[in-house]
Amino acid sequence: MRYEVNCSILFTELPLLERPAAAKAAGFDAVEFWWPWPDQPVPGDREVDAFVSAVEDAGVKLVGLNFFAGDLAGADCGVLSIPDRVQQFRDNVDVTLGIGERLGVGSFNALFGNRVDGASAQEQDELGRESIAVAAKAAERIGATVLVESVSGPKPYPLRTAGDSLAVVDDVRATGARNVGFLLDLYHLAANGDDLDAAIATAVGRTAHVQIADAPGRGEPGSGDLDLQRHLGALAAGGYAGWVGLEYKPTTATTPESFGWLPRERRSA
């Protein structure tokens, strides 16, 4: 498996623009990020340039980037299915893909959005699928894939199981957008009580990216009860050969200390 580091949840002891270099110093060749500006769907050119330079100067590859999804640390969990916020997502698509084109990003995570008052579930589901199709059409221009993810936690996020997200993937693909895939996050599925073995068997052919953390607790592998190596082995046996994003909250004092489970020679792609 090829491992890479999510620099929005790891290395948080450092300023965001210093994290790609820290990942490189820890032995990794690739990183991913949530949207770096949670309050700005369209940041200024100077901010974008600084982010791009931080990745380039660190000598790492940016393999994944979220579209604008609001404040993930706060009440938000995506906006693309929310009627009075969907324009934020649409305005963000070209900016995100512009960063992706400059850095060779292959995958973009499109978080669906919480349930909200004033809009029916059906209306939000239709809007969400339409938004993902719009993003996929734009991403096709640079040969990239749009990801759909199931998420855990108390927020009223509608995609909880692998089946929930796969239904969206299938529906959007049916419109002709073939560059849409499942982001299989083993932690979120486990936290939601999904059957990981069944989910992997069902989803592996439509899985375009994988993320891991242990459960319970969302710490590094070995801090919880999940047999992550067995699950990753099942994904590999099923044909998955993509990246595995480390998206966990370290239980150690610093992020580098949390990588003890992964020998340094296995961190480089």
Side-chain angles (χ1 to χ4, degrees):
M1 286 293 182
R2 296 180 298 163
Y3 294 98
E4 48 89 0
V5 175
N6 186 303
C7 287
S8 293
I9 195 170
L10 289 163
F11 294 108
T12 55
E13 61 268 30
L14 299 172
L16 185 137
L17 296 184
E18 295 180 17
R19 297 176 195 172
K24 183 68 173 181
F28 294 92
D29 291 333
V31 299
E32 65 182 21
F33 276 88
W34 300 340
W35 182 244
W37 305 277
D39 59 342
Q40 297 181 72
V42 183
D45 290 345
R46 182 176 298 179
E47 294 169 292
V48 170
D49 289 344
F51 176 75
V52 170
S53 294
V55 174
E56 291 177 332
D57 293 347
V60 294
K61 180 174 178 59
L62 183 64
V63 300
L65 181 65
N66 281 19
F67 290 106
F68 175 78
D71 182 8
L72 299 185
D76 296 328
C77 203
V79 300
L80 61 84
S81 64
I82 300 175
D84 64 358
R85 299 192 70 184
V86 66
Q87 193 57 48
Q88 293 178 316
F89 175 78
R90 303 291 176 90
D91 292 343
N92 170 255
V93 167
D94 284 344
V95 182
T96 304
L97 294 176
I99 294 172
E101 187 170 23
R102 293 172 67 178
L103 292 173
V105 182
S107 298
F108 297 89
N109 190 15
L111 288 166
F112 206 75
N114 294 326
R115 293 295 192 221
V116 295
D117 295 334
S120 68
Q122 180 179 351
E123 180 184 359
Q124 283 195 254
D125 288 346
E126 291 174 354
L127 182 60
R129 285 160 168 77
E130 177 186 308
S131 295
I132 292 169
V134 167
K137 183 177 180 179
E140 187 176 20
R141 176 179 60 83
I142 63 170
T145 298
V146 172
L147 305 172
V148 180
E149 181 181 13
S150 298
V151 175
S152 62
K155 300 174 187 178
Y157 187 84
L159 307 183
R160 294 287 176 169
T161 66
D164 293 337
S165 289
L166 290 172
V168 176
V169 169
D170 290 344
D171 287 347
V172 179
R173 284 186 175 186
T175 70
R178 305 303 302 174
N179 59 326
V180 178
F182 181 40
L183 194 169
L184 195 161
D185 186 306
L186 289 168
Y187 166 76
H188 284 309
L189 295 182
N192 286 336
D194 212 355
D195 183 325
L196 293 186
D197 292 316
I200 290 168
T202 300
V204 65
R206 288 167 284 178
T207 296
H209 190 59
V210 171
Q211 291 174 334
I212 63 170
D214 215 330
R218 204 177 186 180
E220 65 273 9
S223 63
D225 300 328
L226 294 185
D227 190 348
L228 290 169
Q229 290 303 317
R230 181 174 68 82
H231 293 311
L232 292 176
L235 282 162
Y240 181 74
W243 291 96
V244 176
L246 306 183
E247 194 189 44
Y248 61 76
K249 298 177 180 179
T251 64
T252 54
T254 67
T255 297
E257 291 175 289
S258 77
F259 298 133
W261 62 276
L262 185 65
R264 192 175 182 92
E265 61 270 17
R266 293 182 58 199
R267 302 176 193 176
S268 171

